[in-house]
Amino acid sequence: MTAAPAAGAEPVLAAEAPPPFEITRVFTETRLDSWLAVGLVLAAGLYLYGVHRLRLRGDRWPVARTVFFLGPGLGGIASVTVTGLHAYDTALLSVHMVQHMVLSMIAPIFLALGAPLTLALRTLPKGPRARLLAVVHSRVARIYTFPLVAFTIFVVNPFVLYFTDLYRYTLEHVWAHEVVHAHFIMTGCVFFWPLLGLDPIPNRWPYPGRALLMLLSVPFHTVLGLTIMQSSTLFGGDWYPSLNLSWADPWDDQVVAGGILWAGGEFVSITMLAVLVVQWVRQSEREARRIDRDLDRQEARERAAGTPA
């Protein structure tokens, strides 16, 4: 039996508690009627339409970018919000924590590597392209994409959610629960786009500064995960015990949830750092080739002028 929702609240869970969690239910409980599912389909359609327009005029678009954006990017979001996991995200804190990791730390990385802004700028007509550039370079965008501001939002966000009554509120209200999903995606994009993204956005730091910021984000996820594992109170108050799930213990599940955040946070951070190092090396190689070409052109000009190189 579920906990009684607050007055005027729309309960997230149905009157009956969900059945025991099984992997097969990830597929059997899939839903396609949420606003997020519509948004994912729309985003995928617009991206593919942009790639199609480039090909029609003979321009090339890297296949890897399309795979990143549609696969781990949009597909990652769908895997934790459209599949059967959604039936358990308010019944198990561990499932919610998997959603947290994917929506804020995994999917945004691949969305950024898909370079959707670059694709839009190459395919939009002159008027919409100018408006998009105005938004990207607006004062609000500059503030939110400034690495230190984005870092602060990314780090503080989970502490505000889990250590206040806000988390319980999201369990009791459908709209708040959906807004949290969208907020996770937005905070992840704001943090990762300036660090790993390929789009032309302002406030992009040099690679050493980006690597330092990534390293600084690791301890915060470790602290948060360990705090959740060692907490003497249940997150969400009596919400999880009131579900009376015979197949899950709220205390054990909270320990698992903290472990997911701790281990997953470190794994994702190391992966991010590896991606950044690869980008750094490639940028250095491109710069070295550019310098070589400049030197070759300078030598050719000197020889043409009859001056010894």
Side-chain angles (χ1 to χ4, degrees):
M1 183 176 182
T2 59
E10 182 182 357
V12 173
L13 293 174
E16 298 182 0
F21 179 78
E22 298 175 358
I23 295 298
T24 56
R25 297 191 183 278
V26 173
F27 306 97
T28 59
E29 299 293 331
T30 298
R31 65 171 185 176
L32 299 174
D33 58 346
S34 68
W35 64 268
L36 191 55
V38 174
L40 292 174
V41 172
L42 181 61
L46 290 174
Y47 192 94
L48 289 175
Y49 177 68
V51 174
H52 176 67
R53 287 197 58 184
L54 283 181
R55 290 181 176 177
L56 284 179
R57 70 188 192 197
D59 291 340
R60 178 180 174 273
W61 183 256
V63 176
R65 295 185 184 182
T66 304
V67 173
F68 286 151
F69 189 84
L70 298 180
L74 296 182
I77 296 173
S79 70
V80 295
T81 58
V82 177
T83 67
L85 282 180
H86 78 87
Y88 296 89
D89 61 358
T90 55
L92 296 172
L93 181 61
S94 57
V95 172
H96 167 81
M97 208 57 69
V98 171
Q99 287 182 321
H100 179 156
M101 293 294 302
V102 173
L103 296 179
S104 66
M105 295 190 68
I106 297 178
I109 295 176
F110 294 98
L111 293 177
L113 294 176
L117 290 179
T118 301
L119 179 62
L121 292 173
R122 291 181 61 181
T123 56
L124 285 174
K126 184 177 180 180
R129 182 168 62 247
R131 287 191 288 271
L132 177 59
L133 282 173
V135 171
V136 171
H137 294 282
S138 65
R139 177 171 297 184
V140 174
R142 287 179 177 274
I143 292 174
Y144 278 100
T145 58
F146 185 70
L148 290 180
V149 174
F151 174 78
T152 302
I153 295 174
F154 183 74
V155 168
V156 172
N157 173 59
F159 286 93
V160 173
L161 174 63
Y162 297 122
F163 293 98
T164 65
D165 294 333
L166 180 60
Y167 181 62
R168 174 60 183 261
Y169 187 85
T170 65
L171 294 173
E172 296 175 340
H173 298 77
V174 173
W175 70 268
H177 193 70
E178 298 292 341
V179 167
V180 165
H181 288 167
H183 184 67
F184 279 152
I185 298 171
M186 292 176 62
T187 54
C189 288
V190 166
F191 179 65
F192 291 114
W193 228 280
L195 299 182
L196 298 173
L198 306 176
D199 289 316
I201 60 176
N203 298 323
R204 195 180 295 280
W205 280 9
Y207 282 102
R210 296 189 229 174
L212 177 61
L213 209 57
M214 282 192 181
L215 289 175
L216 291 177
S217 69
V218 177
F220 290 96
H221 291 98
T222 301
V223 170
L224 180 60
L226 290 175
T227 302
I228 293 176
M229 294 176 68
Q230 299 173 359
S231 176
S232 59
T233 59
L234 283 174
F235 286 76
D238 62 348
W239 174 267
Y240 294 111
S242 68
L243 300 179
N244 296 321
L245 300 179
S246 59
W247 47 272
D249 179 76
W251 290 101
D252 293 339
D253 185 62
Q254 183 162 299
V255 173
V256 173
I260 290 173
L261 186 60
W262 176 20
E266 292 194 354
F267 174 78
V268 172
S269 298
I270 293 174
T271 303
M272 290 186 305
L273 194 58
V275 172
L276 187 64
V277 169
V278 171
Q279 291 181 344
W280 192 352
V281 170
R282 289 181 176 177
Q283 193 271 341
S284 299
E285 291 175 348
R286 288 194 298 268
E287 182 66 16
R289 288 195 295 268
R290 185 190 66 80
I291 293 175
D292 288 340
R293 288 194 299 268
D294 290 343
L295 291 175
D296 290 340
R297 284 193 293 267
Q298 180 181 352
E299 183 177 355
R301 286 194 299 268
E302 292 175 346
R303 285 178 177 175
T307 305

